Amino acid sequence: MEIFTSLLIALIVATILFYIVFLSLVYYWHETKTTLLVVPLIFTFDFFATGFFIIAIVSLLVEYLPEIINFFV
């Protein structure tokens, strides 16, 4: 499962970069103080959740693909 941990670390780094860029854009165009915290967190969580599900599917495929191929061959 080392592919899962390495992809998860890459996802966390990408999520932090996504949050920093999104926060800077929202800070530049903000109208109220609420948008500075709530809006970037919502979109960052959506980014992280999508990335986590993709990483989970890829990790499962890499882990069990040899068994699936042996089952059909």
Side-chain angles (χ1 to χ4, degrees):
M1 275 294 181
E2 69 184 48
I3 189 170
F4 181 75
T5 55
S6 60
L7 288 176
L8 189 62
I9 290 170
L11 176 65
I12 290 171
V13 169
T15 303
I16 291 170
L17 290 175
F18 181 83
Y19 180 76
I20 290 170
V21 169
F22 201 82
L23 181 66
S24 64
L25 289 173
V26 169
Y27 182 75
Y28 183 71
W29 285 300
H30 77 283
E31 294 179 4
T32 62
K33 292 286 184 190
T34 309
T35 59
L36 287 178
L37 182 66
V38 175
V39 172
L41 282 177
I42 291 171
F43 283 101
T44 305
F45 177 74
D46 184 41
F47 177 80
F48 182 80
T50 304
F52 182 79
F53 286 128
I54 291 171
I55 287 174
I57 290 169
V58 167
S59 297
L60 287 173
L61 283 176
V62 167
E63 185 73 25
Y64 293 112
L65 193 61
E67 294 178 19
I68 294 170
I69 291 173
N70 287 335
F71 179 74
F72 287 115
V73 171

